[in-house]
Amino acid sequence: MKRIVCIIPAISFSIISTNAQNVVIDGEIRPRTEFQDGFKTPILSTNDPGIFTSQRTRLGVGFTSGLLTAQITLQDSRVYGQFANSDATASTGIYEAWADVLLFPGAACKIGRQPLKYDDNRLFSAPAWSITGTTHDLAIFKYSINDFQVHVGLAYNNNREIASETFYTPGSKYRSMGYLWLSTPTYNGFTISGLVVDEGLQDTLGLGGTANYKKTSMNQAITYGGNLKYENSDFPLSGLATAYFQTGKNITDQTLDGKLLALKLNYSISNAISASLGTDYISGDRNGTTDGIQRNFKKLYGADHTFNGYMDYWNTPLTQGLLDYYGSITAKVSDELTLEGGYHVFNTEFSGKNKKGVAFEKELGSEFDFLVTCKLNSWTTVQGGYCRYFSNNNTFIAKDMVTNASTIPSVRSPQWAYLMFTIKPTFLKTSP
C-alpha cells in the first residue's frame, strides 16, 4: 500500500509534464473525538460512557480535461489505538476510482467505484459524517440539455470471478441495481425530480437455499418517487416535499408496500438567521401481521446521520415505522462561525412489541441537538456538538432493554458530544 501512495505523485507529475490539463492532488485529515453516554441506545447506569477518537484520511488525485474527468482517492479509516504502534497491518484502500468520459455534447459515461448523491440524500448519498463513506461499483450514463438532466445507473455485483452461477454473499446489499433519475426546473423557483431504483436481491428462499444456488434467481425490489423543491432568492420561504413508494419483493419473498413521506420548510428571518420546520413519515407494520407484506419502508443508501436526529436512535426505523416532528434554528454569527439548534419528537406509526415480547406505545421520546461550526481558514473547519435524548419507558422497550414490562432498567441520561477537525489541504494544483 505504501508503494501505491508513492506511485500516485509520480503518475501525476508525468501527466503534468505531457499534457496541458488540470491536475489536483488534495487530501483530507479528519479526526473526531466522541463522548458517547447513550449514543444510538441508552446505556445502563452500571456502565461508564465511552470516549474515543476516530480518523478518516484521504489522498486524492483528480484529472480534468474537456473530454475526460477522472478521480482516484485512497482512504484510511481507523480508531486511535486500533492498531499497535508497530503493527504492519494495512488499512488503506481505494475509496473511489472512476472516469467520466464525454460521449458527445451533453452526454457522458461515468464508470468505476464512485459515491452517489441525489436530491436531499434520502436514497443515495455520499455521507460526510461516516468514517468510511459509501461508494458503489457501477456505470452511469448522463445526459443534460439546458437545465434538464437524466442519469441512468447500472450495477452487477459478484464476490469473485465466476464460471457458473454461485450464491452472492452480499458485500453490497444488492446483487444488481439499475436506476433512473430525472431533474428539471419548472416555474419561478420550483424544481421537480424523479427517481426509480430497481434492486436485484438474492432470493434467500429460492432454489432450496444458498448451498444449492446454481441459477440466477433474484427478487426485484423497486423504489420510486421524487421531490418538489421551491427556492427563490427573492422570497424568504423555501421548501422541499418528498415522496417515495416501494413495490416488488424483498429477500425473503415478501411483497413490499412501504412509503416515505417528508416535508421541510425553511424561512429566512434575516440574512444571518433561518428557521426550519419539518416532518418525516416512514411507514411501518402492525405487530402480528402475517399477510406476507412488508409495509415497513426499506431504507436504501441515503445519509443516516442527516435525518431523524444526530444521536441516530432511529436511523434504522423500527418495524412499526417512524414519525419525526422537528424544528431548528441556524444562526450565521459571522462568515467563520455558525450555530445550529434543533429539537425532534419521535413516534411510531403503530404500537408494538420488542424482540422479548414486551409491548410499547407510540411515543418514543424526544431529542435536542446543538452544533457549532467554525471555519479557521480555507483548509480547516472545526465542528463541535452536544446532543441530549429525553427517553421514556417506550424508548427502553423498543430498544430491547426490557424483558419484563414490570421491570424498567436503571439507565444513564442519554447524551453525546463530539469535537471534529476537518482539514483539506491542496498539495498540488495545475491549470493549462
Side-chain angles (χ1 to χ4, degrees):
M1 194 56 65
K2 291 181 179 179
R3 185 177 299 174
I4 295 177
V5 175
C6 295
I7 289 174
I8 289 178
I11 294 174
S12 302
F13 282 111
S14 176
I15 294 172
I16 295 168
S17 63
T18 57
N19 289 281
Q21 311 294 347
N22 295 344
V23 175
V24 176
I25 301 177
D26 57 14
E28 179 188 72
I29 301 169
R30 200 195 68 176
R32 181 172 70 224
T33 298
E34 299 184 44
F35 169 81
Q36 294 195 1
D37 190 8
F39 181 75
K40 288 192 176 182
T41 190
I43 63 174
L44 298 176
S45 57
T46 53
N47 294 338
D48 288 333
I51 302 175
F52 65 92
T53 299
S54 60
Q55 180 168 313
R56 184 178 76 189
T57 306
R58 289 175 177 172
L59 176 65
V61 177
F63 172 82
T64 305
S65 73
L67 301 176
L68 172 67
T69 301
Q71 179 72 34
I72 298 175
T73 303
L74 302 181
Q75 176 176 273
D76 178 86
S77 302
R78 65 177 66 209
V79 172
Y80 283 14
Q82 182 177 358
F83 302 104
N85 296 349
S86 58
D87 197 333
T89 303
S91 61
T92 302
I94 292 179
Y95 168 68
E96 61 181 334
W98 51 263
D100 194 334
V101 182
L102 180 68
L103 303 177
F104 54 87
C109 176
K110 186 178 180 181
I111 189 167
R113 187 162 187 82
Q114 55 193 289
L116 297 179
K117 182 177 180 179
Y118 289 102
D119 302 319
D120 66 338
N121 297 316
R122 286 281 181 178
L123 300 190
F124 292 110
S125 75
W129 177 260
S130 169
I131 191 174
T132 58
T134 301
T135 53
H136 303 257
D137 301 314
L138 79 166
I140 306 173
F141 300 92
K142 305 184 294 183
Y143 181 74
S144 62
I145 180 170
N146 298 324
D147 292 322
F148 177 69
Q149 300 180 75
V150 179
H151 288 191
V152 177
L154 299 171
Y156 193 88
N157 295 323
N158 279 298
N159 295 117
R160 58 186 182 279
E161 296 181 4
I162 57 174
S164 62
E165 180 61 17
T166 59
F167 186 80
Y168 174 60
T169 306
S172 177
K173 293 182 180 180
Y174 53 83
R175 177 73 181 271
S176 66
M177 182 180 70
Y179 70 85
L180 171 66
W181 174 76
L182 305 96
S183 177
T184 184
T186 55
Y187 173 75
N188 198 26
F190 285 95
T191 300
I192 189 170
S193 64
L195 180 61
V196 180
V197 183
D198 182 358
E199 297 174 283
L201 307 177
Q202 199 91 57
D203 177 7
T204 57
L205 301 180
L207 301 176
T210 61
N212 299 317
Y213 241 87
K214 305 298 183 184
K215 296 182 180 180
T216 302
S217 177
M218 290 185 287
N219 289 338
Q220 302 300 316
I222 300 172
T223 303
Y224 62 94
N227 295 269
L228 178 62
K229 181 181 179 180
Y230 175 74
E231 189 173 38
N232 190 326
S233 59
D234 298 326
F235 193 64
L237 183 67
S238 60
L240 181 70
T242 301
Y244 288 108
F245 306 90
Q246 290 181 328
T247 187
K249 299 278 189 177
N250 65 15
I251 60 174
T252 58
D253 218 36
Q254 289 182 309
T255 299
L256 294 171
D257 189 22
K259 51 185 172 288
L260 184 156
L261 306 175
L263 177 65
K264 184 177 182 180
L265 299 175
N266 304 303
Y267 186 80
S268 297
I269 301 171
S270 68
N271 290 334
I273 301 175
S274 62
S276 299
L277 285 175
T279 182
D280 288 0
Y281 163 67
I282 299 174
S283 63
D285 287 295
R286 291 183 183 272
N287 266 71
T289 303
T290 57
D291 57 4
I293 299 175
Q294 178 186 326
R295 294 180 176 85
N296 181 227
F297 186 83
K298 174 184 177 291
K299 289 191 67 175
L300 298 191
Y301 315 100
D304 283 337
H305 194 70
T306 302
F307 304 104
N308 311 130
Y310 292 140
M311 287 189 73
D312 293 353
Y313 263 53
W314 314 111
N315 60 8
T316 299
L318 296 170
T319 302
Q320 293 79 14
L322 182 68
L323 286 162
D324 176 11
Y325 307 97
Y326 63 90
S328 66
I329 295 178
T330 301
K332 189 173 183 180
V333 179
S334 66
D335 290 340
E336 294 78 27
L337 181 64
T338 302
L339 308 179
E340 177 190 335
Y343 193 78
H344 296 256
V345 177
F346 300 107
N347 292 267
T348 55
E349 182 180 11
F350 303 110
S351 301
K353 294 182 179 180
N354 67 9
K355 294 178 181 178
K356 315 293 184 181
V358 181
F360 60 88
E361 299 300 321
K362 296 180 182 180
E363 297 80 11
L364 294 175
S366 58
E367 178 181 328
F368 169 73
D369 300 327
F370 179 69
L371 303 183
V372 179
T373 304
C374 180
K375 186 175 182 180
L376 298 183
N377 51 53
S378 59
W379 302 290
T380 308
T381 301
V382 181
Q383 185 179 82
Y386 175 80
C387 303
R388 175 76 180 270
Y389 197 93
F390 301 96
S391 55
N392 57 30
N393 288 351
N394 295 323
T395 311
F396 309 141
I397 298 171
K399 287 291 186 179
D400 295 318
M401 300 180 68
V402 178
T403 59
N404 187 319
S406 62
T407 305
I408 301 299
S410 174
V411 302
R412 297 176 60 89
S413 297
Q415 57 184 336
W416 169 65
Y418 73 92
L419 181 65
M420 179 172 70
F421 284 79
T422 302
I423 305 162
K424 293 186 174 183
T426 299
F427 301 116
L428 178 67
K429 184 176 183 178
T430 70
S431 57

